[in-house]
Every structure is written in C-alpha cells, then in structure tokens.
Amino acid sequence: MTPDSLTTLAAYHPVVIEGMGGYDPRDPMAVAEQVAAGLQAHWARRPVSKPPLVIIQGDPLEPRGISAITPRVAEHFGLGRALVCLDEAIAPYHARDADRDNVVLELRYSQLAESLRARDPQAIDRLEAAVAAGIEGRNQKREALGKAPLKHWFRDFALLQEVTKAASRALCGEITVAHTAREISEFSVTGFYTVGLELGWVGEDELVRPQA
C-alpha cells in the first residue's frame, strides 16, 4: 500500500462486482457464470480501453456470496484482483480478515477518499450526507415494519462501496459495475449503489445487471 498504488490502479479498467454476502443461498459457480456472461456481452457493446482488474472490498472468504463469486469471475477472464479495505482506525478487523488470493494491488479507503477530495473538496461531504440521509430513511421504513435499525457499521461499508467505485472511475476514466442479482434489497449495503448514480459518479450505462 503506497502512493504508487493509485498510479498502478489508473492503468486498469476497474470491475466492481456487488451483491449479497455469505447469506446468499445460490450456487456461487452458477452466479459467477451468469455475471461473466453479462460482462462479456457488456464489453462487446462497450469495449474497454485498458486491461480489466476486479476490485474487491475486503469480504472474508466464505462458501457462498460475493467473496465466493468474485474469484470465479476473475478466474473466468484470467484477471487479477485489487483489494480495497477500510483503514485500521475505522475497522481493525477488515484488512486483517480479507481474502487476498490473487490480489495484485491493495489500497485503503483513505487513499481513495483523498484522491476524490483532491478532485473535488466537497465530494466526501456530499457522499456522507447522502449516505446519512439514506440510512435515516431506511431506518424509518424499518421502524414502520417493526424491524431493528441498520447496524452501526452500515455507514462505513456504504461509504467504502461508493468511494471505491467513484475514485476508481475518476482515476481510470472508466468502470464496469456488475450486480450478482437483479433485485437489490434497499436494506443492504449494495442498495446504496443508487447514491453513486444520483451523485453522477457512476452511469447507468456502466452497470451490468442479470437478465433474471
């Protein structure tokens, strides 16, 4: 993890795959094949100008869910992976427990946040405000449904998700974001992908969604 990591990342086309964690009941191989097919079709319509690199966000390896899907997608295309974790001061366990198999580049949240702030001093403030408003709205809905509020760590991981995509896109000039499911729960971290869209940091035409 060095300042040169940002320069290294800029040489790639970032591929961010978002979806459920270990609670995903589906066969990860089947999901990975579906994601890979979606990426292949997307890139046929919208060719990339740089070598693709799968960006992962510190999920510990599990038998199902996103951490089981991303290595299979990377293997399908013969790609390396870049790891982005929360800084130890935010979540000391996050980098410690991350899956590092086939990781060729590692960065921290603060590096990417600073790169965004250097381009737009208000970027992180706007994101934090949007995430806070999103959490408040979701918690109001959850209360009406008789559900507990979102966990305290939810904010940090929503920020990590959106900063990873926004900074990667800004550094690289392009991005592909693939979802592992067509329906995304608004009460999941993945559901905050709408914040990046609303802020104009990722375009709808850069999203790849399953057909079913």
Side-chain angles (χ1 to χ4, degrees):
M1 185 181 65
T2 68
D4 289 342
S5 299
L6 296 176
T7 303
T8 302
L9 177 60
Y12 290 95
H13 176 93
V15 183
V16 179
I17 304 169
E18 300 176 330
M20 291 179 279
Y23 60 92
D24 188 340
R26 301 171 299 167
D27 174 11
M29 181 62 76
V31 178
E33 289 174 356
Q34 184 181 45
V35 171
L39 289 172
Q40 200 149 0
H42 177 76
W43 290 334
R45 298 188 304 269
R46 188 186 175 98
V48 301
S49 66
K50 302 176 180 181
L53 181 68
V54 175
I55 312 293
I56 60 175
Q57 296 170 66
D59 297 276
L61 188 59
E62 297 186 83
R64 296 183 184 273
I66 194 67
S67 71
I69 293 165
T70 55
R72 289 173 166 84
V73 175
E75 183 180 10
H76 177 90
F77 291 106
L79 305 179
R81 302 196 296 167
L83 171 64
V84 183
C85 289
L86 291 168
D87 295 75
E88 283 76 0
I90 300 173
Y93 61 87
H94 194 223
R96 181 195 68 202
D97 297 343
D99 172 30
R100 286 181 171 80
D101 183 54
N102 192 29
V103 166
V104 299
L105 181 65
E106 184 166 343
L107 302 104
R108 291 291 182 269
Y109 169 82
S110 60
Q111 287 179 282
L112 294 181
E114 282 304 312
S115 75
L116 270 184
R117 195 176 280 116
R119 294 168 182 267
D120 177 358
Q122 303 304 315
I124 301 302
D125 291 339
R126 291 203 309 275
L127 175 60
E128 289 179 346
V131 168
I135 290 175
E136 182 179 0
R138 285 162 172 77
N139 280 339
Q140 289 173 356
K141 290 182 181 180
R142 290 178 69 83
E143 184 177 12
L145 294 168
K147 295 183 177 182
L150 296 169
K151 300 293 186 181
H152 70 279
W153 45 258
F154 203 93
R155 172 184 178 275
D156 293 334
F157 286 95
L159 291 173
L160 173 67
Q161 174 181 278
E162 296 313 306
V163 164
T164 295
K165 290 182 293 184
S168 296
R169 185 180 186 273
L171 285 163
C172 304
E174 54 193 69
I175 195 170
T176 300
V177 179
H179 287 170
T180 65
R182 185 146 190 92
E183 297 300 323
I184 304 294
S185 169
E186 66 176 322
F187 299 130
S188 67
V189 171
T190 303
F192 274 74
Y193 80 94
T194 56
V195 172
L197 293 178
E198 291 160 4
L199 290 172
W201 288 353
V202 175
E204 278 279 0
D205 58 348
E206 295 168 315
L207 289 179
V208 180
R209 296 185 176 95
Q211 294 302 305

